[in-house]
């Protein structure tokens, strides 16, 4: 550990300020959301607000200790920390008690901790260590595979713990890889995968072009895959001739198939769309062979894999997702209305936030909050309390502070002197941004409820400590740059 206090001296003051504002605001809202008639004060450790303050104090102590570590420690020991965390995650599956269907908590008497919350932080370090090494080149298949493996391994283990929401957070590391040179095609394909899944599920019971027996979801998804390959042909190969040929054949065959269905005999047009997609893939493979252009067979591979994904989306939804997860998605997509069941939380959250209007009902005066209409309001749905008691102004304040915190993280990332620090900063940014957008999104009903906390605002010791450690390490790594700059300035002046 360092023997001086330079780490404290060169801290990014604005980041610390935004952190402090969120912590104080969070404790106040946890107190309001969980207060009971016999609670003595906000500091009563027998209640949620008091316990959160205990975690805050403990987390700040841990953060201060982190600031005195040598800045090379996190880079050098990242692989060891990652390996240890993987073992702990695996052990948790077998050692934890079943809590609401989840096996993700390690209990030590009355004290419990969730290792998955720390896995995000450790994975960010390990991934930053890997992409920050000399010779790393994100455009090679080997480096892609290894980087993805670092992300996927803890993600899969957490899925086995039945913590799907927490596992999804690991997808946020795409932001880190994108900043380090990953092509924008990967995030685009991720968006398309979500789009195809939603369309396939949402329109599963509708008919394409009104033709009975032709599922609209699969049909529109196959059409999307076909036209994406046309876009790829135009963008990557500038091959307008073959793009025009394929588009013409596609339109001709589809129009003829629709006319036959309308006037002669009805059949499932999905088979026609499937045949067209595979025929176009074969055509592109032939082009690749004769022109010796790898891009053609890569587009063909995209068509084949995407077509397979379209047909597997229904299986994923019906057989892999849990019944309650299926219902949450259906509620969000407007497929079912369940105001007293799965949709209850979201409905009550909307009522609470809407009733706050511009300035809110006043601190500790929220009727939805005080009467406990929204379950788990002190944890995942804490934003309801903000909306009801502080109104639009309070929500705007919270969103502004979060935005400014993420802006400071970007500033620290872009002024970093090493790839490791920059990559780690973007890993932290991705995690914070994912939690921020998804938590608020699920509270206001635009994202399925997946159960992840709002950093520094929601109640939870493990998550609060994990987020604090994450930020503390970044602040520590940033102080070394400031310290070196100050040393260079002193040398120049002297």
């Amino acid at each position: 550990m360092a023997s001086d206090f330079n780490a404290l001296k060169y801290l990014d003051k604005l980041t610390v300020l935004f952190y402090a504002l969120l912590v104080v605001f969070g404790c106040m809202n946890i107190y309001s959301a969980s207060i009971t008639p016999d609670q003595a004060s906000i500091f009563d450790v027998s209640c949620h607000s008091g316990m959160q303050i205990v975690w805050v104090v403990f987390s700040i102590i841990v953060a201060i200790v982190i600031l005195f570590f040598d800045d090379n420690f996190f880079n050098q020991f990242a692989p060891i920390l990652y390996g240890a965390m993987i073992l702990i995650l695996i052990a948790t599956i077998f050692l934890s008690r079943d809590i609401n269907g989840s096996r993700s908590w390690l209990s030590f008497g009355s004290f419990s901790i969730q290792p998955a919350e720390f896995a995000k932080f450790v994975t960010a370090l390990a991934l930053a260590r890997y992409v920050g090494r000399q010779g790393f080149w994100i455009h090679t298949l080997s480096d892609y595979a290894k980087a993805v493996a670092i992300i996927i391994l803890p993600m899969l283990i957490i899925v086995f713990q039945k913590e799907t929401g927490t596992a999804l957070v690991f997808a946020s590391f795409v932001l880190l890889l994108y900043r380090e040179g990953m092509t924008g095609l990967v995030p685009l394909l991720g968006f398309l995968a979500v789009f195809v899944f939603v369309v396939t599920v949402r329109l599963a019971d509708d008919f394409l072009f009104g033709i009975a027996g032709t599922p609209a979801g699969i049909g529109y998804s196959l059409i999307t895959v076909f036209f994406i390959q046309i876009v790829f042909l135009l963008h990557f190969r500038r091959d307008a001739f073959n793009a025009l040929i394929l588009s013409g054949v596609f339109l001709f065959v589809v129009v003829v198939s629709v006319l036959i269905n309308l006037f002669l005999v009805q059949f499932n047009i999905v088979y026609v769309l499937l045949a067209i997609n595979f025929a176009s893939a074969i055509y592109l493979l032939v082009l690749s062979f004769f022109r010796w252009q790898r891009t053609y067979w890569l587009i063909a591979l995209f068509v084949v894999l995407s077509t397979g994904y379209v047909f597997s989306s229904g299986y994923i939804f019906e057989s892999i997702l849990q019944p309650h997860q299926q219902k949450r998605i259906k509620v969000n997509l407007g497929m079912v209305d369940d105001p007293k069941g799965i949709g209850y939380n979201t409905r009550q959250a909307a009522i609470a936030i809407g009733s706050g209007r511009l300035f809110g009902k006043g601190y500790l005066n929220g009727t939805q909050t005080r009467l406990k209409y929204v379950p788990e309001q002190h944890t995942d749905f804490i934003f309801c309390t903000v909306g009801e008691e502080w109104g639009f102004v309070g929500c705007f304040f919270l969103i502004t502070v979060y935005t400014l915190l993420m802006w400071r993280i970007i500033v620290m990332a872009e002024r970093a002197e090493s790839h490791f620090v920059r990559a780690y900063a973007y890993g932290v940014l991705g995690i914070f941004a994912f939690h921020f957008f998804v938590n608020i999104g699920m509270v206001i009903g635009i994202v399925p409820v997946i159960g992840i906390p709002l950093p520094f605002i929601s109640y939870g010791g493990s998550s609060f400590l994990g987020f604090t450690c994450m930020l503390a390490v970044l602040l520590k790594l940033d102080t070394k740059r400031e310290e070196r700059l100050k040393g260079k300035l002193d040398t120049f002046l002297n």
Side-chain angles (χ1 to χ4, degrees), residues 88-211:
I88 293 173
L89 288 175
I90 295 173
T92 301
I93 299 175
F94 302 100
L95 299 178
S96 62
R97 294 183 294 109
D98 190 304
I99 301 176
N100 297 325
S102 170
R103 303 190 68 89
S104 61
W105 291 86
L106 289 178
S107 299
F108 306 92
S110 59
F111 172 77
S112 297
I113 197 164
Q114 190 176 23
E117 292 295 337
F118 305 98
K120 293 177 282 189
F121 156 56
V122 173
T123 302
L125 281 175
L127 189 59
R129 161 67 184 264
Y130 179 69
V131 304
R133 67 183 175 83
Q134 191 166 0
F136 176 80
W137 180 243
I138 190 65
H139 298 290
T140 66
L141 182 60
S142 173
D143 282 342
Y144 255 126
K146 291 175 182 177
V148 170
I150 292 173
I151 299 170
I152 291 294
L153 182 56
M155 190 177 183
L156 291 177
I157 299 173
I158 293 171
V159 168
F160 278 109
Q161 295 178 353
K162 305 298 182 182
E163 285 288 343
T164 308
T166 303
L168 288 174
V169 177
F170 286 76
S172 66
F173 288 121
V174 168
L175 179 63
L176 184 162
L177 296 177
Y178 180 71
R179 177 59 184 85
E180 292 303 316
M182 181 182 70
T183 173
L185 184 62
V186 175
L188 174 63
L189 291 177
F191 171 79
L192 288 174
V194 174
F195 174 79
V196 166
F197 179 83
V198 170
V199 169
T200 304
V201 172
R202 178 65 181 84
L203 302 178
D205 298 326
D206 294 342
F207 297 125
L208 182 68
F209 307 135
I211 299 172

Side-chain angles (χ1 to χ4, degrees), residues 30-286:
I30 291 170
Y31 175 63
S32 179
S34 60
I35 187 173
T36 59
D38 58 343
Q39 185 170 351
S41 71
I42 191 174
F43 301 101
D44 187 348
V45 295
S46 64
C47 302
H48 289 126
S49 60
M51 279 305 301
Q52 184 73 358
I53 291 174
V54 170
W55 276 106
V56 168
V57 173
F58 176 71
S59 298
I60 292 175
I61 293 172
V62 172
I64 293 173
V65 171
I66 287 174
L67 294 176
F68 286 99
F69 273 80
D70 184 85
D71 58 320
N72 293 320
F73 171 85
F74 303 103
N75 192 347
Q76 293 175 352
F77 286 89
I80 297 175
L81 294 173
Y82 179 80
M85 182 53 63
I86 293 299
L87 293 177
I88 293 173
L89 288 175
I90 295 173
T92 301
I93 299 175
F94 302 100
L95 299 178
S96 62
R97 294 183 294 109
D98 190 304
I99 301 176
N100 297 325
S102 170
R103 303 190 68 89
S104 61
W105 291 86
L106 289 178
S107 299
F108 306 92
S110 59
F111 172 77
S112 297
I113 197 164
Q114 190 176 23
E117 292 295 337
F118 305 98
K120 293 177 282 189
F121 156 56
V122 173
T123 302
L125 281 175
L127 189 59
R129 161 67 184 264
Y130 179 69
V131 304
R133 67 183 175 83
Q134 191 166 0
F136 176 80
W137 180 243
I138 190 65
H139 298 290
T140 66
L141 182 60
S142 173
D143 282 342
Y144 255 126
K146 291 175 182 177
V148 170
I150 292 173
I151 299 170
I152 291 294
L153 182 56
M155 190 177 183
L156 291 177
I157 299 173
I158 293 171
V159 168
F160 278 109
Q161 295 178 353
K162 305 298 182 182
E163 285 288 343
T164 308
T166 303
L168 288 174
V169 177
F170 286 76
S172 66
F173 288 121
V174 168
L175 179 63
L176 184 162
L177 296 177
Y178 180 71
R179 177 59 184 85
E180 292 303 316
M182 181 182 70
T183 173
L185 184 62
V186 175
L188 174 63
L189 291 177
F191 171 79
L192 288 174
V194 174
F195 174 79
V196 166
F197 179 83
V198 170
V199 169
T200 304
V201 172
R202 178 65 181 84
L203 302 178
D205 298 326
D206 294 342
F207 297 125
L208 182 68
F209 307 135
I211 299 172
T214 302
I218 293 177
Y220 285 124
S221 296
L222 290 175
I223 292 172
T224 300
V225 170
F226 179 86
F227 280 105
I228 290 297
Q229 86 171 306
I230 299 301
V231 172
F232 285 168
L233 269 176
L234 293 172
H235 178 74
F236 293 111
R237 294 301 318 153
R238 302 288 193 272
D239 193 346
F241 176 74
N242 282 299
L244 184 62
I245 289 178
L246 289 175
S247 299
V249 171
F250 176 84
L251 290 174
F252 175 78
V253 173
V254 170
V255 169
V256 170
S257 299
V258 171
L259 291 176
I260 291 175
N261 264 276
L262 292 176
F263 299 107
L264 294 177
V265 60
Q266 287 192 337
F267 60 92
N268 191 344
I269 295 182
V270 163
Y271 294 115
V272 175
L273 296 173
L274 181 63
I276 294 174
N277 276 349
F278 278 116
S280 66
I282 294 172
Y283 179 70
L284 292 175
L285 286 174
V286 173

